[in-house]
Amino acid sequence: MKIAVYPGSFDPTTNGHLDIVKRSGLLFDKVIVAVLNNPNKKPLFSVEERVDILRRTCKDIENVEIDCFSGLLIDYAKSKNACAIVKGLRAVSDFEYELQMAHMNKKLNPDIETIFIMTNSRYSYLSSSLVKEVAQFGGCIKGLVPEIIEDEIYNRFMK
Ligand code: ADP
């Protein structure tokens, strides 16, 4: 069985992320969307909340599983018997860092490939941080994030 891990912060999940999840689900037998637990960052949504949001938005995709991890991604991928790490690429600015990461991960474990999926052009400008910036000042985020979290994102900034 070909298993891929799709890692990220997903704070919050955007429709750009979901597009990559769906498309990688067509390429692999199983895709594990893995939420990075990074204690150095102050997120808008806790890891548990982010996992829950992804579970709810991906519930109809049969071969997708949601999980979280901390520590080295490559070790997590190995522990899940994954043969690949999936990354989304939006622009050249993503590429330089991702290339460096891919080489490092290849050095750490040559058996696991990094696969890049080009963003859907509709979402090429979309990032979680930009969504947060727009929402913080009351801008419209409709169509950029799953409907079930639209209101909650605004609520977080009102507290
Ligand atoms: P971000 O805050 O940049 O959205 P994440 O760490 O949550 O970052 O992203 C996880 C993965 O999803 C990364 O591989 C990233 O390149 C990819 N990704 C993020 N947004 C998009 C998008 N709009 N289209 C395609 N891939 C994306």
Side-chain angles (χ1 to χ4, degrees):
M1 176 145 95
K2 301 266 184 224
I3 301 171
V5 168
Y6 175 40
S9 303
F10 305 104
D11 185 42
T13 296
T14 68
N15 289 342
H17 293 136
L18 293 176
D19 181 64
I20 299 290
V21 174
K22 283 180 201 141
R23 288 160 63 199
S24 41
L26 300 174
L27 298 173
F28 293 93
D29 299 312
K30 182 160 99 180
V31 175
I32 303 171
V33 183
V35 177
L36 171 64
N37 187 356
N38 183 351
N40 299 326
K41 277 196 181 167
K42 219 191 152 296
L44 193 62
F45 292 91
S46 70
V47 169
E48 294 73 24
E49 288 171 325
R50 282 177 268 160
V51 165
D52 178 63
I53 291 164
L54 278 159
R55 286 215 172 110
R56 286 192 284 146
T57 46
C58 296
K59 67 175 181 344
D60 295 330
I61 318 174
E62 240 172 51
N63 59 341
V64 168
E65 242 176 64
I66 317 296
D67 193 14
C68 61
F69 76 104
S70 44
L72 279 182
L73 169 64
I74 201 77
D75 292 342
Y76 171 77
K78 185 168 191 286
S79 76
K80 293 288 168 185
N81 290 319
C83 62
I85 292 167
V86 167
K87 292 291 189 91
L89 274 189
R90 283 162 293 194
V92 181
S93 49
D94 280 342
F95 182 75
E96 216 167 314
Y97 177 70
E98 292 296 351
L99 181 69
Q100 194 181 9
M101 288 299 295
H103 282 313
M104 179 54 86
N105 282 332
K106 191 76 184 165
K107 191 210 165 282
L108 294 173
N109 188 336
D111 298 332
I112 300 179
E113 295 292 342
T114 300
I115 306 290
F116 293 104
I117 297 184
M118 302 307 146
T119 178
N120 182 321
S121 55
R122 282 163 64 191
Y123 304 125
S124 60
Y125 61 94
L126 189 53
S127 71
S128 299
S129 46
L130 197 50
V131 163
K132 284 184 273 194
E133 225 170 291
V134 170
Q136 183 175 5
F137 299 109
C140 179
I141 55 170
K142 214 173 173 40
L144 304 182
V145 297
E147 253 179 64
I148 56 160
I149 54 166
E150 261 174 36
D151 291 345
E152 191 49 34
I153 295 173
Y154 291 115
N155 289 344
R156 299 277 154 139
F157 289 111
M158 285 195 256
K159 281 174 191 161

